Amino acid sequence: SQQGEEDPQALSIQEGENATMNCSYKTSINNLQWYRQNSGRGLVHLILIRSNEREKHSGRLRVTLDTSKKSSSLLITASRAADTASYFCATDAGPRDMRFGAGTRLTVKP
Amino acid sequence: KAGVTQTPRYLIKTRGQQVTLSCSPISGHRSVSWYQQTPGQGLQFLFEYFSETQRNKGNFPGRFSGRQFSNSRSEMNVSTLELGDSALYLCASSLELAGAGKQFFGPGTRLTVL
């Protein structure tokens, strides 16, 4: 069963705009991770945020975590066509168990 | 370092057959996890191996099994294939147990069951 749920399911924006994706989960977690997947290929790890962290940055990526609301958001600033992909959040539903959400399909139009 | 490799990349089988997929993790990684990805169910966790021991298992029937060798390479076997087993099978390796840190994914094996 899936732990996280991303919102929206699909997002279409113009190059240069910001993209925000949200993830909600059900159980307590130790950490939450975001991954990107280009069509039909393997996933690429983007960022990991631990349950005692509220915000984390990596380049054009900004991730926030609100454990009281059991939610996280991924912000991609100044998007590029190459950012077109599916984005997944993954939580450690514990013990030693990772679960992925259904993903947000992001399309960045040039 | 070489990334995670999976073989074969594509596979076509018929119902009732069995299949074995292989995954070679990044050198030094002891954890290998397997996932099934389908359009309908998304990414679902199959199982994880760490130091040759299965550490956790997802909610899949016993037809799905796996093992890990002393060099950390892992194989996944599906017996008595069903049409619904058509999917992209991904393996991921990590230094620590899955969930504790970053996982590195292979390109996947696309299995089609006819």
Side-chain angles (χ1 to χ4, degrees):
Chain A
S1 62
Q2 291 176 331
Q3 155 84 316
E5 290 188 11
E6 286 89 345
D7 167 53
Q9 289 186 336
L11 181 61
S12 182
I13 58 174
Q14 294 293 138
E15 214 167 21
E17 293 181 338
N18 295 341
T20 300
M21 290 159 267
N22 303 296
C23 169
S24 59
Y25 55 92
K26 297 171 185 172
T27 64
S28 296
I29 60 171
N30 293 318
N31 65 62
L32 185 145
Q33 302 182 48
W34 284 91
Y35 286 82
R36 183 187 74 226
Q37 183 181 35
N38 291 89
S39 183
R41 302 171 86 171
L43 279 72
V44 174
H45 182 269
L46 295 175
I47 200 162
L48 179 153
I49 186 166
R50 303 199 183 279
S51 60
N52 61 352
E53 297 175 310
R54 291 294 167 260
E55 189 170 311
K56 209 160 180 182
H57 297 256
S58 176
R60 294 184 296 113
L61 306 179
R62 173 179 167 249
V63 167
T64 61
L65 179 64
D66 187 334
T67 52
S68 66
K69 295 181 179 177
K70 291 188 169 58
S71 69
S72 173
S73 68
L74 169 67
L75 167 68
I76 303 174
T77 59
S79 63
R80 304 166 183 168
D83 295 328
T84 294
S86 291
Y87 292 81
F88 297 88
C89 67
T91 55
D92 65 328
R96 304 184 295 273
D97 181 9
M98 276 188 69
R99 296 193 187 270
F100 286 80
T104 291
R105 175 69 192 167
L106 173 66
T107 302
V108 181
K109 300 174 190 174
Chain B
K1 271 186 180 177
V4 177
T5 58
Q6 291 187 247
T7 56
R9 291 293 311 279
Y10 302 91
L11 205 49
I12 299 175
K13 292 284 189 180
T14 56
R15 278 182 297 174
Q17 288 187 309
Q18 76 164 25
V19 67
T20 299
L21 311 182
S22 181
C23 173
S24 292
I26 290 173
S27 178
H29 286 191
R30 291 191 291 164
S31 168
V32 174
S33 298
W34 288 89
Y35 298 86
Q36 180 197 66
Q37 187 177 31
T38 60
Q41 298 297 318
L43 262 164
Q44 293 194 291
F45 172 75
L46 280 157
F47 30 64
E48 180 190 9
Y49 287 86
F50 188 90
S51 295
E52 300 179 66
T53 302
Q54 187 180 88
R55 295 305 180 102
N56 211 347
K57 192 177 192 305
N59 190 26
F60 278 82
R63 300 185 297 107
F64 291 81
S65 63
R67 59 178 176 168
Q68 187 179 34
F69 302 95
S70 58
N71 61 358
S72 292
R73 189 177 69 85
S74 177
E75 286 182 348
M76 188 194 110
N77 185 75
V78 188
S79 62
T80 320
L81 284 166
E82 300 177 0
L83 295 179
D85 297 334
S86 293
L88 180 66
Y89 289 88
L90 295 163
C91 86
S93 75
S94 58
L95 282 168
E96 306 156 319
L97 290 167
K102 182 176 178 177
Q103 286 194 311
F104 294 81
F105 281 79
T109 293
R110 173 76 62 184
L111 172 65
T112 302
V113 182
L114 302 176

